[in-house]
């Protein structure tokens, strides 16, 4: 799954080595730190998703709640279902 915010892009993938865990990669170390600051963030060799963190599903759910709370819904005032 991909998530795009105004300050970063995130790629969420299943963790093959641990059950109940997912891998979150991003092009922004700062945003990963902001959402998952207590976890170890590692640098990858990927060209776009340069940073990654392994996180349990509950911690990811908490980060998603924070992301949704930060949405500025005033930017959607001209959006209509006809354009979707």
């Amino acid at each position: 799954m991909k998530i795009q915010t105004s300050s970063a892009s995130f790629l969420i993938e299943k963790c093959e080595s641990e059950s109940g865990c997912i891998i979150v990669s991003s092009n922004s170390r700062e945003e990963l730190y902001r959402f998952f600051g207590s976890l170890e963030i590692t640098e990858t060799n990927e060209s776009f998703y340069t940073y990654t963190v392994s996180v349990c599903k509950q911690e990811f759910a908490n980060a998603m709640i924070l992301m949704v709370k930060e949405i500025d819904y005033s930017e959607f005032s001209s959006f209509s279902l006809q354009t979707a």
Side-chain angles (χ1 to χ4, degrees):
M1 172 173 60
K2 292 182 181 180
I3 298 173
Q4 178 72 44
T5 68
S6 60
S7 55
S9 294
F10 299 90
L11 176 65
I12 295 84
E13 301 175 292
K14 179 181 177 183
C15 182
E16 298 297 331
S17 61
E18 294 180 51
S19 66
C21 169
I22 57 175
I23 302 296
V24 180
S25 302
S26 180
N27 62 334
S28 171
R29 177 187 289 269
E30 293 79 18
E31 287 298 287
L32 277 182
Y33 183 75
R34 190 166 71 87
F35 290 114
F36 309 106
S38 62
L39 302 174
E40 181 182 355
I41 297 168
T42 57
E43 195 164 346
T44 69
N45 292 327
E46 297 294 322
S47 60
F48 187 73
Y49 295 107
T50 312
Y51 307 100
T52 190
V53 64
S54 176
V55 60
C56 76
K57 291 178 182 178
Q58 182 59 52
E59 287 178 283
F60 177 69
N62 293 340
M64 291 296 297
I65 290 168
L66 181 58
M67 283 184 190
V68 170
K69 286 182 176 181
E70 292 179 349
I71 294 172
D72 181 4
Y73 291 98
S74 66
E75 295 179 8
F76 301 129
S77 61
S78 61
F79 179 77
S80 75
L81 292 177
Q82 295 171 350
T83 61

